[in-house]
Amino acid sequence: MPHTSKGTSSSSPARRQATDPTTVDRLMRAAAQAFAEKGFHATTTRDIASGAGLSPAGVYVHFGSKEDLLFNLSRSGHQSALNLLRVALEGIEHPAERLAVAMNRFSAWHAEQYQLAKVVQYEHQHLTPEHRAEVLTLRKDIDAVLQEVLECGVADGVFEVVDIGDTALALSSMAVDVARWYSPAIKRTPAEIGATNAALALRLVGSRP
């Protein structure tokens, strides 16, 4: 990695207990914006500190390194998306409705949280092997939600899917790609994007809205 870790990791209990949540939130928002706009390697700790209204040294009070910040963003972003999917699907039984809701909310999240989502989806390759493994586990959990919806739809005769794995990947890619091109300046709202992708997902599996 091109940076040098300073201090202990923010994942340690001692550091978590000494952390100011308000400052940490500011740092994570500033890091998400900087990483989304410049990419991980081109972003400096000075960029992040400036965005949070701190001195560069202030970053290391709460995070051991720039990579540590990226890891916390990646982990919290993936967990947020996973929780959103699980909550959105609670109490919904029909496979077509489950798929529409999952694609709607997952796609809309990538627009609503477009800066964080862009970092979550496109910068995780810069994590250390240990941190990347933890984040990839969360990614697999998200993929498993979509795959389970497809499996149930196929089993019930509602979906016409030849390869569930490939179809789940295509659906996930459709939602994830929103973070790459979305901007608040475009006319389409996150809700409209979610509705469009939900309808496209149902067409892909041979089901009607």
Side-chain angles (χ1 to χ4, degrees), residues 98-118:
R98 286 175 64 81
L99 178 59
V101 168
M103 285 299 295
N104 190 319
R105 291 303 303 126
F106 196 41
S107 299
W109 182 85
H110 281 82
E112 294 163 352
Q113 306 291 332
Y114 69 100
Q115 288 183 327
L116 173 61
K118 188 174 183 180

Side-chain angles (χ1 to χ4, degrees), residues 114-130:
Y114 69 100
Q115 288 183 327
L116 173 61
K118 188 174 183 180
V119 174
V120 163
Q121 300 297 352
Y122 298 109
E123 297 295 328
H124 66 276
Q125 69 269 21
H126 301 302
L127 295 170
T128 64
E130 181 182 1

Side-chain angles (χ1 to χ4, degrees), residues 7 22 43 52 58 69 79 82 92 122 137 143 145 165 174-175 177:
T22 302
T43 297
L69 244 174
Q79 190 65 62
L82 177 60
I92 302 176
Y122 298 109
T137 296
D143 292 341
V145 172
M174 186 192 306
D177 195 51

Side-chain angles (χ1 to χ4, degrees), residues 4-134:
T4 302
S5 177
K6 300 181 181 181
T8 59
S9 170
S10 64
S11 60
S12 68
R15 180 173 289 274
R16 284 201 302 268
Q17 291 173 4
T19 293
D20 174 5
T22 302
T23 304
V24 168
D25 288 344
R26 283 161 49 201
L27 281 168
M28 291 184 71
R29 284 195 297 270
Q33 180 177 356
F35 291 152
E37 292 177 353
K38 297 183 175 184
F40 176 75
H41 284 309
T43 297
T44 66
T45 52
R46 184 176 296 278
D47 294 329
I48 297 168
S50 177
L54 300 172
S55 67
V59 175
Y60 297 111
V61 173
H62 303 285
F63 296 96
S65 66
K66 187 174 71 168
E67 187 275 342
D68 193 22
L69 244 174
L70 177 62
F71 169 58
N72 277 271
L73 279 172
S74 298
R75 179 175 56 185
S76 64
H78 278 90
Q79 190 65 62
S80 176
L82 177 60
N83 291 344
L84 176 138
L85 277 174
R86 287 173 171 170
V87 170
L89 293 176
E90 286 181 358
I92 302 176
E93 297 184 2
H94 194 278
E97 186 179 358
R98 286 175 64 81
L99 178 59
V101 168
M103 285 299 295
N104 190 319
R105 291 303 303 126
F106 196 41
S107 299
W109 182 85
H110 281 82
E112 294 163 352
Q113 306 291 332
Y114 69 100
Q115 288 183 327
L116 173 61
K118 188 174 183 180
V119 174
V120 163
Q121 300 297 352
Y122 298 109
E123 297 295 328
H124 66 276
Q125 69 269 21
H126 301 302
L127 295 170
T128 64
E130 181 182 1
H131 285 167
R132 185 163 56 249
E134 185 172 339

